[in-house]
Amino acid sequence: MARRDSTSDDRTPGAFGPLSRRRVLRLAGGGLALAALTAGTAGCDEDAVDVEDPGSPGGDEPNGGGKGSSDGDGDGDGAGAGEKGQAPEPLWTKPTSAETYGDNDELVTAGGVVIASGSPLAALDAATGGQKWSLPGGAVPGAPLLLGQDTLYLAGSDYDGSVIGYAPASGKETWRSRLGKEYRQPRPIAVDEEQVYVIAEILEDDGSSRTNVIAALNSTTGRIAWKEQRDAGTEQNGIHAAVRGRHLVYTDFKKNLTVRDTASGGQVWTHKTTRTNYGFFTVHQDLVIVPQGNVLQAFNVADGKEKWSLEASDGALFREPAVLEDVLYAADSARAMRAVDPRTGKQLWKSEALADAGLQVPRQYVKAGDTLYGATDLDKQGGIIAMDARTGAVRWTFNDKTDDYHAWLVATDGKRVFALHGKKLHALPA
C-alpha cells in the first residue's frame, strides 16, 4: 500500500522571522483571518534605495509609471523601452475586479485574452484591454486559474462541487465534472493531456470536514479516474502542483514534496521541505527543483533521489525558482540573481544588479525574447523588473506607485507583458 501524505508540521510562529504580507494573504485565501495583516508585516526591504518615478498611470491612460518613465518621445505606440533604460509606457491600463492572494496562477493569458482572478471573472482583449467576456460568479478565492489543453479550468463558483472548463477566447463552457455530494470545494491543481487533478474536502455527517481527497478527472468525459484520501491534518489549501509524464508533483503548507502516479493515484515518494520554502518548486524534464533554505536541490521525479544541489553564499536563502526555455532562474535573499543549467546545476551566470539598484527580489518570472521579467512582492521597491536574460543586468523597472499592498503578478503572450497590481492591470510591450 502506497504511503500517503505526511501530516507532520514543524511550523512555529516566529521560528523564521515574521510572515510577509503576501504570505498572510495567501494564508487568508485558505480561510485564515485577514486580521493578521498589519502595517508591520512586510516582505520587502524598507531601507532599500528609492527609485525615482516621475509619473504613474491613471484610469485607462498610459502615462508611464516606471523607473524614469518615458517622456513620450518614443514612436508613439509604446513599443520598446524608453530612452536611457527607462521603462516603456503602458500600451493600456485597465481597472479590474481582481481578488488575488499573490499566487502565480492568478493571472493568465491564452486565446488572445488576459484574465485576472476575481469576481466577476473578466477576460480582457490582450491587444486593446477591452472586455471580451465575463463570468458573473467569478473565480473562487484561493483557487487557481488552471490552463491546459486549450481550456481554462475553474472551481465552480456556485460551490456545488463542480469543476468547469471554459474556452479562454470566448468564455463558453466546454467541460464539467463533479466529484460527488460527499465532497466539498474541489479545486483543480494540475492538468495533463488526459486528466484534471483536483483536491477536495471530505464531508462528515455533521457537515464538517477533517480530511481531504486528491482525485483525477478524465478531461474528456469528466468521469473520476481515481481518488485517494489524504491523511488527517493535510491541507487542501496552498497547493502548488505540476505534472511530468506519469508523475503528479505537489506541495502544500505542511512542507511535504509529494509525487503520485498519475495512472493509479498511488504515492511514489515524499520529501520534507524547509520552513523557508512555502511550497514553491519548479520542474524540468525528469527533475523537480526545490529551494531548501540556502540550497537548491534537484530530485529525480521517478524515485526522489537527489541529482544535484547548488548552495548560496553567505547563508542567503533561495527564493521561488522558475525554468524558462531550458534555463533555471532563481534569486536569493541577498538579492543575487542566478541562471543555472537545470539538468546539471551548473551556474551559467550570477548577477548582483538587483542589489546594486536597491531592488526587491522577484518571486515570479516570465520571458519574452532575450528579456526576463520578474514580479516582486510589495511596494515601494517592487514592481516589474526587466532583466537581460543573458547576464541578469537590470534594463528597467515599472511601478505604478499606488502603494497597494498586493503582490505584483506577471504574464506574457510573447508580444506583451501583463502586470497586475491590486485592481490595476497594465499591458507593457515585450
Side-chain angles (χ1 to χ4, degrees):
M1 180 176 179
R3 291 176 299 160
R4 292 183 291 178
D5 305 71
S6 171
T7 60
S8 59
D9 185 3
D10 60 357
R11 277 182 299 167
T12 303
F16 190 78
L19 288 173
S20 73
R21 277 180 279 189
R22 175 169 68 88
R23 303 304 180 197
V24 175
L25 285 171
R26 287 187 56 208
L27 291 172
L32 298 185
L34 273 173
L37 178 62
T38 65
T41 52
C44 56
D45 296 299
E46 296 296 338
D47 58 349
V49 178
D50 193 13
V51 180
E52 182 181 359
D53 181 13
S56 62
D60 296 346
E61 297 300 320
N63 293 332
K67 174 184 175 182
S69 300
S70 173
D71 293 324
D73 54 355
D75 57 12
D77 62 359
E83 296 294 329
K84 298 179 181 179
Q86 295 170 344
E89 298 252 359
L91 300 169
W92 52 260
T93 294
K94 296 287 184 179
T96 73
S97 59
E99 297 173 354
T100 65
Y101 299 93
D103 277 339
N104 296 351
D105 47 21
E106 294 176 320
L107 178 70
V108 298
T109 179
V113 300
V114 56
I115 307 169
S117 182
S119 181
L121 186 68
L124 304 185
D125 186 284
T128 68
Q131 182 172 297
K132 296 293 290 290
W133 55 263
S134 68
L135 297 175
V140 173
L145 305 179
L146 182 62
L147 284 171
Q149 300 299 300
D150 299 320
T151 302
L152 173 67
Y153 294 97
L154 301 175
S157 59
D158 292 332
Y159 295 92
D160 60 356
S162 296
V163 179
I164 308 170
Y166 300 89
S170 66
K172 294 181 178 179
E173 182 178 323
T174 58
W175 180 88
R176 180 181 287 257
S177 180
R178 291 190 65 183
L179 273 180
K181 62 182 181 181
E182 66 269 34
Y183 303 103
R184 180 172 61 189
Q185 296 184 347
R187 298 183 179 187
I189 59 170
V191 60
D192 60 21
E193 295 180 355
E194 298 180 356
Q195 297 177 152
V196 181
Y197 304 91
V198 302
I199 283 183
E201 299 175 2
I202 301 174
L203 286 174
E204 304 292 336
D205 292 338
D206 60 1
S208 65
S209 177
R210 291 180 289 276
T211 53
N212 60 86
V213 66
I214 186 167
L217 309 174
N218 186 284
S219 57
T220 300
T221 66
R223 295 175 180 171
I224 299 173
W226 52 259
K227 55 185 177 182
E228 291 286 324
Q229 180 175 333
R230 302 174 71 212
D231 285 345
T234 56
E235 297 186 10
Q236 65 272 14
N237 300 303
I239 300 288
H240 298 92
V243 185
R244 281 299 180 271
R246 285 195 56 174
H247 299 98
L248 171 65
V249 187
Y250 63 95
T251 59
D252 64 16
F253 286 145
K254 293 298 184 182
K255 294 179 291 301
N256 295 304
L257 175 69
T258 302
V259 176
R260 289 183 180 271
D261 186 294
T262 58
S264 66
Q267 185 165 297
V268 180
W269 58 268
T270 185
H271 284 333
K272 293 297 294 183
T273 61
T274 69
R275 66 187 60 181
T276 64
N277 173 265
Y278 297 102
F280 287 99
F281 66 91
T282 188
V283 292
H284 177 71
Q285 296 179 358
D286 59 349
L287 296 178
V288 52
I289 303 163
V290 189
Q292 301 265 54
N294 69 331
V295 177
L296 272 178
Q297 286 182 290
F299 302 100
N300 282 315
V301 172
D303 57 19
K305 294 181 179 178
E306 183 178 297
K307 181 68 177 293
W308 57 259
S309 65
L310 177 66
E311 186 172 348
S313 58
D314 302 324
L317 307 178
F318 279 108
R319 299 289 297 274
E320 296 90 335
V323 173
L324 302 169
E325 298 180 3
D326 296 327
V327 177
L328 168 66
Y329 298 98
D332 63 33
S333 58
R335 293 186 275 189
M337 186 76 198
R338 290 174 176 81
V340 177
D341 184 336
R343 299 166 299 178
T344 63
K346 179 182 179 181
Q347 185 170 287
L348 303 177
W349 53 255
K350 179 181 177 181
S351 171
E352 306 288 344
L354 293 175
D356 292 343
L359 298 173
Q360 278 197 49
V361 173
R363 40 156 305 274
Q364 183 192 10
Y365 303 91
V366 297
K367 188 172 180 287
D370 63 357
T371 303
L372 180 69
Y373 300 90
T376 71
D377 252 346
L378 314 171
D379 283 335
K380 73 180 180 182
Q381 288 308 110
I384 303 301
I385 304 173
M387 295 166 279
D388 189 321
R390 299 161 299 188
T391 65
V394 174
R395 290 179 168 172
W396 49 260
T397 63
F398 176 84
N399 193 312
D400 58 14
K401 295 300 179 180
T402 62
D403 293 322
D404 190 291
Y405 59 82
H406 285 87
W408 286 79
L409 297 177
V410 65
T412 184
D413 61 2
K415 298 179 181 178
R416 291 158 289 261
V417 174
F418 304 101
L420 178 66
H421 189 214
K423 298 288 186 180
K424 283 190 174 182
L425 180 60
H426 311 275
L428 305 172

